[in-house]
């Protein structure tokens, strides 16, 4: 397992002995952890905005919500944090950001509500997979 500590360093961290949580622990400095969690909350906000847009039959709002978490936002991530993350985590993040862009493109091209929901279901599968594999802890 890989765990991440202070900027620029990486150390192994075993699971908590008293925990049954077997996800890969990644330990970050508080500001780094906050940055990653902020990005995750942005993605959750995008999912909510897509669903709200579809429910209101407002495809423009759904597209805008999807685009918010696309690759443009991924480019804003601190490059140092990217060097500390496991490659599998980074690939899943890239797939997810690309998925938001693909969904926005589909909505803009006139995708049906059902097709959009299928795309959203696939996309949120990435979120579920990430949260099932990884655990972000704060260095103390």
């Amino acid at each position: 397992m890989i765990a991440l500590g202070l900027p620029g360093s990486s150390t192994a961290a075993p699971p908590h002995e008293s925990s049954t949580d077997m996800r890969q622990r990644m330990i970050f400095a508080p500001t780094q952890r906050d940055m990653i969690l902020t990005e995750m909350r942005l993605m959750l906000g995008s999912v909510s905005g897509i669903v709200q847009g579809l429910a209101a039959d407002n495809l423009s709002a759904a597209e805008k919500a999807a685009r918010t978490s696309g690759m443009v936002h991924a480019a804003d991530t601190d490059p140092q944090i990217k060097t500390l993350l496991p490659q599998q985590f980074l690939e899943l993040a890239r797939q997810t950001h690309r998925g938001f862009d693909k969904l926005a493109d589909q909505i803009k091209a006139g995708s049906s509500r059902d097709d959009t929901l299928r795309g959203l279901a696939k996309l949120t599968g990435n979120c579920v997979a990430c949260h099932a594999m990884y655990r972000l802890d704060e260095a103390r």
Side-chain angles (χ1 to χ4, degrees), residues 77 81-98 134:
T77 303
I81 289 178
K82 289 180 183 179
T83 66
L84 301 174
L85 292 165
Q87 193 59 39
Q88 187 176 10
F89 181 99
L90 289 171
E91 183 53 36
L92 190 54
R94 277 190 290 272
Q95 288 175 6
T96 304
H97 285 296
R98 286 185 195 123
Y134 300 103

Side-chain angles (χ1 to χ4, degrees), residues 39-137:
E39 184 172 346
M40 289 178 180
R41 284 189 294 272
L42 178 71
M43 288 185 199
L44 181 59
S46 289
V47 169
S48 178
I50 294 164
V51 171
Q52 290 177 24
L54 292 175
D57 204 26
N58 184 342
L59 298 181
S60 176
E63 178 196 350
K64 181 179 177 183
R67 193 76 64 197
T68 298
S69 290
M71 286 301 291
V72 169
H73 181 73
D76 291 342
T77 303
D78 181 348
Q80 184 175 11
I81 289 178
K82 289 180 183 179
T83 66
L84 301 174
L85 292 165
Q87 193 59 39
Q88 187 176 10
F89 181 99
L90 289 171
E91 183 53 36
L92 190 54
R94 277 190 290 272
Q95 288 175 6
T96 304
H97 285 296
R98 286 185 195 123
F100 276 108
D101 279 336
K102 181 179 178 183
L103 193 60
D105 291 344
Q106 289 174 334
I107 295 168
K108 186 175 184 174
S111 176
S112 71
R113 181 176 293 170
D114 286 345
D115 286 342
T116 302
L117 284 172
R118 277 189 280 281
L120 183 59
K122 181 178 178 183
L123 183 59
T124 58
N126 287 357
C127 302
V128 171
C130 183
H131 285 268
M133 287 189 291
Y134 300 103
R135 171 181 167 173
L136 299 179
D137 288 338

Side-chain angles (χ1 to χ4, degrees), residues 5-50:
L6 299 176
S9 69
S10 178
T11 59
H16 291 287
E17 289 183 28
S18 63
S19 177
T20 59
D21 187 346
M22 298 308 294
R23 293 176 295 164
Q24 183 175 343
R25 289 179 67 214
M26 297 186 294
I27 302 173
F28 292 95
T31 55
Q32 293 170 324
R33 181 176 180 267
D34 289 348
M35 289 174 73
I36 294 168
L37 292 175
T38 296
E39 184 172 346
M40 289 178 180
R41 284 189 294 272
L42 178 71
M43 288 185 199
L44 181 59
S46 289
V47 169
S48 178
I50 294 164

